[in-house]
Amino acid sequence: KLTAVLLAVIMALSVLTVAPFTVSAATYGDYEYRLEDDYTCTITKYNGSASNITIPSTIYGNKVTKIGWSAFEWCENIVNVNIPNTVTSIDSYAFSACSNLKNITFSNNLKKIDYASFSGCTSLTSVSFPASLTEIGRRAFRDCEKLASASLNNGLINFDDSAFYNCKSLSNI
């Protein structure tokens, strides 16, 4: 009898290890996010359709410090985005191809804008970076064809020479 019970338990456990598990992203309103080891949050995806976006500064009491890779990519409805002061980093392709994005209010604590973060934002006409920004990555604003002016700061440590690649209207930095 003991052998039969043990075999039944082993069979039951083996079914659990073979059965597929579905992992869904954590959500907060229209946002998907990841809770990091230091109990900060990274926005990983936006599922809404609003034209005016204010990214939350906290999610369930945890600070939102990063906008993740491709989180808002191809969100063509977005016209205005307000990034809260808790955000310190914007990852690659975060807002890439948001073709109607016209206005960005950056976090006053933003330190890094990564590779191609705003590439293809063809309606963007000007950007003003906070004094806290130390790094603008390669092709961060690539193909922002209407971008005419950019206000940089003295604190930039790493400013890639192709950050404004193919910004045909850029005439004032």
Side-chain angles (χ1 to χ4, degrees):
K1 287 185 178 182
L2 182 60
T3 304
V5 171
L6 284 173
L7 286 174
V9 170
I10 290 170
M11 287 175 52
L13 290 175
S14 68
V15 169
L16 291 176
T17 60
V18 174
F21 289 98
T22 303
V23 177
S24 61
T27 59
Y28 180 81
D30 290 333
Y31 301 94
E32 292 180 19
Y33 70 96
R34 178 179 62 242
L35 185 62
E36 304 295 347
D37 291 340
D38 63 354
Y39 296 99
T40 61
C41 291
T42 298
I43 299 291
T44 57
K45 185 161 178 55
Y46 177 68
N47 296 312
S49 59
S51 60
N52 298 312
I53 303 292
T54 297
I55 295 169
S57 59
T58 61
I59 294 178
Y60 301 118
N62 302 296
K63 283 184 183 180
V64 174
T65 60
K66 184 186 276 188
I67 299 171
W69 188 81
S70 297
F72 293 84
E73 187 175 31
W74 293 103
C75 290
E76 295 178 352
N77 290 338
I78 298 175
V79 175
N80 303 298
V81 65
N82 184 15
I83 301 171
N85 288 334
T86 56
V87 173
T88 59
S89 179
I90 300 173
D91 278 354
S92 297
Y93 302 103
F95 292 91
S96 180
C98 291
S99 58
N100 290 307
L101 180 61
K102 292 181 181 177
N103 301 302
I104 308 163
T105 303
F106 288 108
S107 159
N108 287 330
N109 295 309
L110 185 64
K111 294 183 184 338
K112 180 180 181 182
I113 297 175
D114 214 341
Y115 179 87
S117 296
F118 293 91
S119 65
C121 293
T122 54
S123 295
L124 195 60
T125 57
S126 69
V127 289
S128 182
F129 301 110
S132 61
L133 188 67
T134 58
E135 183 175 349
I136 299 176
R138 193 165 181 255
R139 298 184 177 198
F141 292 87
R142 176 187 73 210
D143 298 327
C144 293
E145 298 169 353
K146 293 181 183 174
L147 186 63
S149 68
S151 177
L152 304 178
N153 68 61
N154 292 331
L156 282 173
I157 295 170
N158 183 18
F159 175 74
D160 195 279
D161 62 353
S162 63
F164 295 101
Y165 179 80
N166 204 30
C167 292
K168 298 174 183 178
S169 300
L170 189 60
S171 61
N172 185 19
I173 296 181

